[in-house]
């Protein structure tokens, strides 16, 4: 069997994503190139590694065995690169970090910027994912550090508190709901909304709507929280954004906002990683920096 490191990274990515298309994208390969590599792997080993179905792919018992060994090899390679990097001047290193939407937009920029400026030869490969997927990526070695909601299963991972992410409803100051002292998601699901154009947070909100048996009436989708707040201020619709974003945008847009009372709307964000001795030195350094930051969230509930 002649599997190279790209083959193993691709196979792991496909197994974790349950999709050849997404797995190929995660490792930077085109779908035709990824499909050809996977076929060659099965032909070389003389065994079927993946079961292909309408809803994606799943590993066969042989595939599970390959994935196990691929994870071990990936961890050993990461350790080797990290140790060599300490001795090689001018060699660039990369830390793989996966985080949810709120962490990427509201918490990371202020903490990641100074660290990267102080480490000019270390790059960060940042991916936005939902919390459950982040836990899987860290556990299997596709990411070294994750920032996720502590509501997901992180068994086997080291977890460190990072920040509190509270979701709020933003609206025009003269909106009827602006006078409410308490808002639950059920109070607003039948209103018109301005939403995010994709991303882990919007997927999280849409999933909560589906659980309530409704589909949000979204008039417009934008890429930034600032844009959502501006549209909400003009009365286009309600928005659901992190409280940090609402506070930042309040002066410029004139919005009002109220916290959502539902338990899923208050998420405690945590850093997660495998045991520290499995991390590269740059990843350990970044983890220590982010853990030291421990970003608090101010307590007043409304604006």
């Amino acid at each position: 069997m002649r599997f190279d490191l790209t083959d193993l990274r691709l196979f792991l990515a496909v197994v974790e994503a349950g999709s050849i298309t997404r797995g190929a994208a995660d490792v930077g390969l085109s779908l035709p190139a990824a499909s050809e590599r996977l076929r060659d792997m099965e032909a070389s080993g003389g065994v079927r590694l993946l079961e292909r179905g309408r809803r994606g792919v799943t590993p066969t018992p042989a595939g599970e065995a390959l994935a196990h060994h691929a994870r071990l090899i990936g961890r050993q390679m990461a350790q080797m690169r990290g140790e060599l990097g300490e001795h090689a001047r001018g060699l660039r290193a990369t830390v793989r970090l996966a985080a949810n939407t709120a962490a990427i937009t509201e918490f990371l920029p202020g903490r990641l910027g100074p660290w990267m400026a102080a480490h000019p030869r270390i790059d960060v490969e940042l991916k936005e994912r939902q919390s459950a997927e982040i836990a899987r990526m860290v556990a299997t070695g596709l990411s070294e550090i994750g920032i996720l909601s502590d509501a997901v299963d992180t068994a086997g991972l080291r977890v460190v508190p990072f920040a509190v992410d509270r979701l709020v409803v933003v609206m025009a100051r003269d909106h009827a709901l602006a006078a409410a002292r308490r808002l639950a998601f059920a109070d607003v699901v039948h209103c018109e909304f301005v939403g995010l154009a994709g991303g882990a947070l919007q997927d999280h909100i849409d999933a909560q709507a589906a659980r309530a048996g409704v589909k949000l009436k979204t008039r417009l989708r934008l890429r930034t929280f600032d844009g959502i707040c501006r549209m909400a201020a003009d009365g286009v619709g309600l928005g659901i954004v992190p409280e940090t974003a609402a506070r930042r945008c309040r002066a410029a847009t004139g919005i009002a906002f109220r916290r959502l009372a539902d338990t899923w709307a208050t998420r405690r964000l945590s850093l997660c990683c495998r045991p520290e001795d499995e991390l590269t030195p740059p990843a350990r350094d970044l983890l220590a920096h982010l853990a030291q930051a421990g970003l608090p969230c101010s307590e007043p509930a409304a604006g």
Side-chain angles (χ1 to χ4, degrees):
M1 298 183 186
R2 298 181 179 178
F3 301 156
D4 62 24
L5 292 176
T6 301
D7 290 337
L8 296 180
R9 288 187 64 232
L10 168 64
F11 186 75
L12 271 181
V14 168
V15 168
E16 288 307 311
S19 161
I20 296 176
T21 301
R22 287 192 62 185
D26 281 344
V27 298
L29 290 175
S30 67
L31 179 58
S35 297
E36 183 177 358
R37 278 183 176 270
L38 292 170
R39 285 194 298 270
D40 289 346
M41 290 175 70
E42 291 183 320
S44 173
V47 63
R48 182 177 293 277
L49 300 172
L50 295 169
E51 294 290 351
R52 295 160 174 82
R54 291 183 178 180
R55 296 186 177 182
V57 296
T58 56
T60 64
E64 291 281 9
L66 176 60
H68 169 71
H69 290 287
R71 292 180 186 116
L72 295 178
I73 292 170
R75 292 171 187 173
Q76 290 171 342
M77 289 298 297
Q79 285 181 288
M80 181 189 73
R81 285 193 296 266
E83 291 176 11
L84 290 177
E86 292 183 306
H87 301 285
R89 294 190 176 184
L91 182 66
R92 300 194 72 85
T94 299
V95 178
R96 289 165 293 144
L97 172 62
N100 63 12
T101 307
I104 288 176
T105 58
E106 297 302 312
F107 298 108
L108 270 180
R111 293 304 307 165
L112 203 51
W115 185 85
M116 293 189 71
H119 298 79
R121 297 192 180 280
I122 303 176
D123 301 326
V124 174
E125 182 182 295
L126 180 60
K127 293 186 177 181
E128 180 184 339
R129 295 289 189 270
Q130 291 197 53
S131 292
E133 186 174 358
I134 292 168
R136 290 194 296 269
M137 291 175 71
V138 173
T140 57
L142 290 175
S143 284
E144 294 170 278
I145 302 171
I147 305 177
L148 42 63
S149 165
D150 66 358
V152 303
D153 182 11
T154 53
L157 300 178
R158 181 189 175 208
V159 178
V160 180
F162 179 65
V164 177
D165 171 38
R166 294 186 176 92
L167 296 180
V168 300
V169 180
V170 294
M171 64 201 79
R173 285 192 178 277
D174 59 357
H175 195 284
L177 292 175
R181 296 183 64 113
R182 182 182 182 279
L183 276 182
F185 192 48
D187 299 326
V188 301
V189 289
H190 298 295
C191 297
E192 294 181 329
F193 279 85
V194 178
L196 282 170
L201 176 57
Q202 190 61 52
D203 290 344
H204 178 60
I205 295 168
D206 291 341
Q208 298 304 322
R211 288 180 183 176
V214 298
K215 182 177 181 180
L216 296 182
K217 302 172 186 175
T218 305
R219 298 188 64 195
L220 178 68
R221 293 189 181 273
L222 300 169
R223 293 191 176 277
T224 67
F225 295 134
D226 298 56
I228 291 175
C229 290
R230 288 185 182 279
M231 288 292 176
D234 289 337
V236 176
L238 303 179
I240 297 178
V241 304
E243 185 173 357
T244 51
R247 291 185 181 281
R248 188 182 67 251
C249 296
R250 178 170 52 186
T253 62
I255 54 167
F257 65 86
R258 294 292 180 270
R259 285 181 183 170
L260 278 171
D262 305 75
T263 55
W264 60 262
T266 298
R267 301 181 297 173
R268 299 189 180 278
L269 302 185
S270 299
L271 293 160
C272 70
C273 66
R274 297 186 306 279
E276 282 200 58
D277 59 4
E278 296 183 15
L279 298 180
T280 61
R284 285 200 296 269
D285 192 272
L286 177 56
L287 178 69
H289 172 80
L290 294 175
Q292 189 177 18
L295 300 175
C297 185
S298 52
E299 285 303 314

